[in-house]
């Protein structure tokens, strides 16, 4: 805030006696507080009107008045003096400058304030406590802009307790007010797009929930932002997000709607439904159509699509975060079907999914607290003279989850991949399984997740487990994810080669008898495959029956509960 320079000259146009009278009132207490001298006795100096003590009192009063007058004239804060009826009788130079009348010294003080501003001050005086008050007032500035001020109001009484003057001390806080408003806006709005951010949106959603009528909430995930960032540059990605913000706003321009950006490439659209609001399919089509026009960035026409999750409700007892979660759940289910899809929240499906999602959220804690355990199941021969005898043990995770039951090993693996625990769990699983097998002198079958199977450091993890346990490599049967290896880069097969050189027996689980899988089995001379439950369709069963003999003729061990298998993992 530009602070007015202190000036020594009095503001023109104000009656000089008003300041002097006010100063007389303000200095009355000071005069009364001066020491009173007793009458002069014999031999004492006189204290009459012409005596030295009386002269000192008058000098002190004059000094006090001069100091107060200097404060009034030179203060950088505006000061206005009013009579008991609330009429302005004087204003200091700072206030005149503040209100834009510094160059008009002839203007009467009563004309400095707009009528509405003057009426507001008079009203504040009538309701203020006896000791004075402070109020925030918006006056009209020199150029007609708002002038925000803090005003301290007080009363001046004479020695007899009668009201003589009203005083307003005015501080210009416009810049502080604008800064506060700016910071508040920054806290509630996205800097890049100018849309409300997550916090700002939740405040609006809270208000909308408590209004009558239904709401439609759409949660969007823009598909191509990461590709644009990596392929063209982050400046292009930022421009893409700005374009998406404008297009989403245009798509719902005819509705009572709020568009917000609540994440990197995530937006939400809130529509307060009216009789003319379209159904969710039509609304999804309108948004998709608005986004589909290519965005030209650095000379390239970039296509835009977004996954969308919708929820429509008229409930008044739902929490804003709960409603946002429902829309996000619908989005994630829609994205399971591919890019650019949309879906509607399904409460029943959500109830079925939540235990697994709770497992995902709580898996790190379960690992830390020792709730996740490892059990061992027998791997038995199916046919031949050794039928029913144990060939190995299979290491399996066990996690009891209240309200969900025992979580299967495969589900634990998928959850570990989803929350980034696969590496840690692989090290623990291999170390424990190898130690158990070494103590029992039996082979152990360890099934790894997709992320664990394509870990470039897998061979080093296996070496560490074998060394710490002393288990011979040939007793470790390592089952890797078939889809991870057949769908990944060629470098992933280096792990298979290294494991073979170490003497570890290698298998594929999730084997579906595909051509790429069969080729990998032969190319890497794998020891075996683990089959999932047999398909129900006769043609698929016939295909499996045709492939199994080919595998067995090639010396490949078949593990699974299917006809023609060599081994089965018992429960």
């Amino acid at each position: 805030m530009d602070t007015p320079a202190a000036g020594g000259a009095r503001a023109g146009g104000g009656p000089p006696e008003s300041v002097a009278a006010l100063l007389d009132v303000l200095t009355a207490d000071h005069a009364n507080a001066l020491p009173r001298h007793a009458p002069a006795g014999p031999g004492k100096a006189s204290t009459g009107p012409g005596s030295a003590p009386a002269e000192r009192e008058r000098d002190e009063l004059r000094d006090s008045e001069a100091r107060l007058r200097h404060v009034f004239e030179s203060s950088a804060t505006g000061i206005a003096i009013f009579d008991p009826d609330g009429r302005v009788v004087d204003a200091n130079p700072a206030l005149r400058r503040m209100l834009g009348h510094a160059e008009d010294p002839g203007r009467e003080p009563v004309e400095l304030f707009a009528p509405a501003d003057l009426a507001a001050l008079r009203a504040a005086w009538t309701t203020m406590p006896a000791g004075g008050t402070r109020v925030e007032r918006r006056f009209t500035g020199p150029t007609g802009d708002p002038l925000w001020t803090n005003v301290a109001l007080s009363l001046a009484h004479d020695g007899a307790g009668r009201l003589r003057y009203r005083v307003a001390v005015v501080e210009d806080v416009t810049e502080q007010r604008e800064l506060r408003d700016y910071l508040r806006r920054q806290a509630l709005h996205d800097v890049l797009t100018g849309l409300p951010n997550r916090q700002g949106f939740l405040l609006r959603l809270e208000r909308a929930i408590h209004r009558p009528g239904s709401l439609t909430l759409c949660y969007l995930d823009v598909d191509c932002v990461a590709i644009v960032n990596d392929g063209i540059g982050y400046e292009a990605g930022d421009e893409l997000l700005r374009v998406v913000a404008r297009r989403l706003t245009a798509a719902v321009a005819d509705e009572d709607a709020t568009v917000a950006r609540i994440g990197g490439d995530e937006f939400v659209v809130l529509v307060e439904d009216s009789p003319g609001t379209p159904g969710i399919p039509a609304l999804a089509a309108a948004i998709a159509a608005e986004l589909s026009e290519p965005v030209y960035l650095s000379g390239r026409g970039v296509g835009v699509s977004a996954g969308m999750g919708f929820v429509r409700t008229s409930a008044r007892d739902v929490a804003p975060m709960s409603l946002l979660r429902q829309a996000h759940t619908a989005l994630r289910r829609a994205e399971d079907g591919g890019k650019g899809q949309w879906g509607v929240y399904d409460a029943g499906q959500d109830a079925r999914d939540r235990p697994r999602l709770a497992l995902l959220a709580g898996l790190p804690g379960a690992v830390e607290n020792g709730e996740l355990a490892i059990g061992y199941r027998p791997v038995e021969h199916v046919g031949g003279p050794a039928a029913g005898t144990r060939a190995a043990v299979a290491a399996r995770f066990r996690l009891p989850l209240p309200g969900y039951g025992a979580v299967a090993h495969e589900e634990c693996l998928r959850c570990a991949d989803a929350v980034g625990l696969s590496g840690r769990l692989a090290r623990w699983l291999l170390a424990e399984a190898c130690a158990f097998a070494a103590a029992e002198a039996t082979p152990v079958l360890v099934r790894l997740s997709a992320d664990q199977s394509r870990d470039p450091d897998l061979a080093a993890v296996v070496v560490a487990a074998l060394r710490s346990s002393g288990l011979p490599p040939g007793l470790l049967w390592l089952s890797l994810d078939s889809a991870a290896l057949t769908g990944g880069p060629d470098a992933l097969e280096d792990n298979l080669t290294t494991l073979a050189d170490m003497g570890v027996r290698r298998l594929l689980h999730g084997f579906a008898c595909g051509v790429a899988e069969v080729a990998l089995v032969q190319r890497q001379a794998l020891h075996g495959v683990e089959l999932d439950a047999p398909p129900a369709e006769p043609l698929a069963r016939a295909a499996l029956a045709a492939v199994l003999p080919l595998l067995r003729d090639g010396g490949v061990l078949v593990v699974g509960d299917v006809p023609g298998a060599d081994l089965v993992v018992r429960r």
Side-chain angles (χ1 to χ4, degrees):
M1 179 175 65
D2 296 331
T3 307
R10 257 191 102 261
E17 65 274 10
S18 65
V19 177
L22 174 62
L23 295 177
D24 286 343
V25 173
L26 295 176
T27 56
D29 290 339
H30 174 69
N32 292 332
L34 290 175
R36 298 303 181 200
H37 300 278
K44 301 291 185 180
S46 172
T47 56
S51 67
E55 286 296 331
R56 283 197 300 272
E57 289 182 14
R58 285 194 292 273
D59 289 343
E60 289 177 3
L61 287 173
R62 283 193 293 270
D63 290 345
S64 179
E65 179 180 336
R67 286 194 298 270
L68 291 174
R69 186 185 300 278
H70 178 72
V71 169
F72 181 84
E73 300 290 347
S74 63
S75 173
T77 303
I79 304 174
I81 303 171
F82 300 75
D83 66 15
D85 295 327
R87 290 186 294 269
V88 186
V89 296
D90 203 0
N92 72 341
L95 183 61
R96 289 177 174 270
R97 283 192 295 270
M98 200 180 296
L99 298 177
H101 303 301
E103 304 302 326
D104 189 7
R107 180 180 289 268
E108 292 296 326
V110 73
E111 300 173 351
L112 295 178
F113 293 95
D117 296 337
L118 194 57
L121 289 177
R122 289 169 177 166
W125 261 308
T126 62
T127 59
M128 77 175 192
T133 189
R134 296 182 67 89
V135 296
E136 186 179 72
R137 281 296 306 161
R138 191 185 84 164
F139 296 119
T140 302
T143 60
D145 295 331
L147 175 69
W148 288 98
T149 64
N150 282 334
V151 184
L153 301 175
S154 59
L155 303 175
H157 298 82
D158 60 17
R162 294 185 297 270
L163 176 63
R164 294 289 303 279
Y165 292 98
R166 302 176 187 270
V167 182
V169 179
V170 183
E171 179 187 6
D172 184 356
V173 294
T174 303
E175 289 193 4
Q176 294 94 315
R177 172 70 179 245
E178 290 175 349
L179 178 60
R180 184 184 68 187
D181 292 346
Y182 171 78
L183 293 176
R184 181 183 292 126
R185 176 176 175 79
Q186 293 297 94
L188 299 178
H189 287 77
D190 173 51
V191 176
L192 180 65
T193 63
L195 297 176
N197 59 15
R198 186 186 192 90
Q199 186 62 33
F201 175 75
L202 288 174
L203 293 174
R204 299 188 186 200
L205 181 57
E206 174 78 33
R207 292 193 292 266
I209 286 174
H210 292 92
R211 287 194 282 265
S214 67
L215 305 173
T216 301
L217 179 61
C218 175
Y219 201 122
L220 298 98
D221 186 1
V222 183
D223 295 326
C224 56
V225 176
I227 296 174
V228 171
N229 284 339
D230 294 340
I232 304 178
Y234 280 91
E235 295 83 359
D238 289 347
E239 178 58 25
L240 176 63
L241 291 171
R242 285 189 285 265
V243 171
V244 169
R246 292 194 295 268
R247 291 184 177 182
L248 288 176
T249 303
V252 291
D254 295 335
E255 302 290 337
D256 184 3
T258 298
V259 180
R261 181 187 177 212
I262 61 173
D265 52 7
E266 295 181 331
F267 293 79
V268 287
V269 177
L270 172 66
V271 178
E272 299 187 47
D273 298 333
S274 68
T277 299
I280 288 177
L283 190 57
I287 293 174
E290 192 70 39
L291 294 177
S292 63
E293 186 71 22
V295 180
Y296 287 90
L297 305 168
S298 301
R300 298 174 177 86
V302 177
V304 181
S305 65
M308 291 176 275
F310 288 88
V311 58
R312 176 166 281 175
T313 182
S314 56
R316 291 293 169 265
D317 58 349
V318 61
M321 287 299 294
S322 177
L323 197 62
L324 197 63
R325 188 199 66 81
Q326 292 174 6
H328 188 264
T329 297
L331 167 65
R332 291 299 167 225
R333 289 192 59 80
E335 289 184 326
D336 289 342
K339 300 293 186 181
Q341 303 298 311
W342 64 271
V344 181
Y345 174 69
D346 183 338
Q349 185 62 49
D350 186 25
R352 292 187 291 273
D353 288 344
R354 293 199 74 174
R356 178 180 179 272
L357 297 175
L359 169 63
L360 282 172
L363 185 59
V367 173
E368 190 69 27
N369 297 329
E371 298 171 21
L372 183 65
I374 300 174
Y376 297 91
R377 299 176 183 173
V379 181
E380 298 179 353
H381 292 282
V382 175
T389 62
R390 192 178 77 174
V393 293
R396 294 290 187 263
F397 282 128
R398 293 186 307 180
L399 177 61
L401 188 67
Y404 188 81
V407 181
H409 178 80
E410 291 72 18
E411 184 71 1
C412 288
L413 293 180
R414 285 191 290 270
C415 291
D417 285 355
V419 297
L421 280 177
S422 56
R424 177 181 174 185
L425 290 190
R427 290 189 295 272
W428 179 54
L429 177 61
L430 284 168
E432 292 291 324
C434 289
F436 179 88
E440 296 290 325
T442 184
V444 61
L445 174 63
V446 179
R447 178 181 288 192
L448 299 182
S449 73
D451 284 356
Q452 293 164 350
S453 299
R454 51 178 165 245
D455 182 1
D457 293 328
L458 176 60
V461 176
V462 172
V463 168
L466 293 175
R467 285 178 178 171
S468 64
S469 64
L471 182 71
L475 295 184
L476 176 57
W477 299 6
L478 200 59
S479 184
L480 307 175
D481 185 85
S482 177
L485 295 181
T486 57
D490 294 340
L492 293 179
E493 292 195 31
D494 292 344
N495 270 334
L496 294 175
T497 303
T498 303
L499 293 170
D501 293 341
M502 293 164 52
V504 174
R505 302 192 70 175
R506 303 151 304 147
L507 296 86
L508 289 183
H509 67 79
F511 190 81
C513 300
V515 174
E517 294 170 315
V518 173
L520 178 63
V521 169
Q522 184 175 32
R523 185 168 60 252
Q524 286 288 336
L526 299 182
H527 295 85
V529 296
E530 286 194 84
L531 300 176
D532 291 332
E537 292 76 15
L539 185 59
R541 285 180 173 268
L544 176 61
V547 171
L548 287 185
L550 297 177
L551 294 172
R552 300 182 68 186
D553 289 346
V556 178
L557 198 65
V558 177
V559 182
D561 191 10
V562 297
D566 300 298
L567 300 172
V568 64
V569 178
R570 299 296 185 190
R571 293 189 177 275

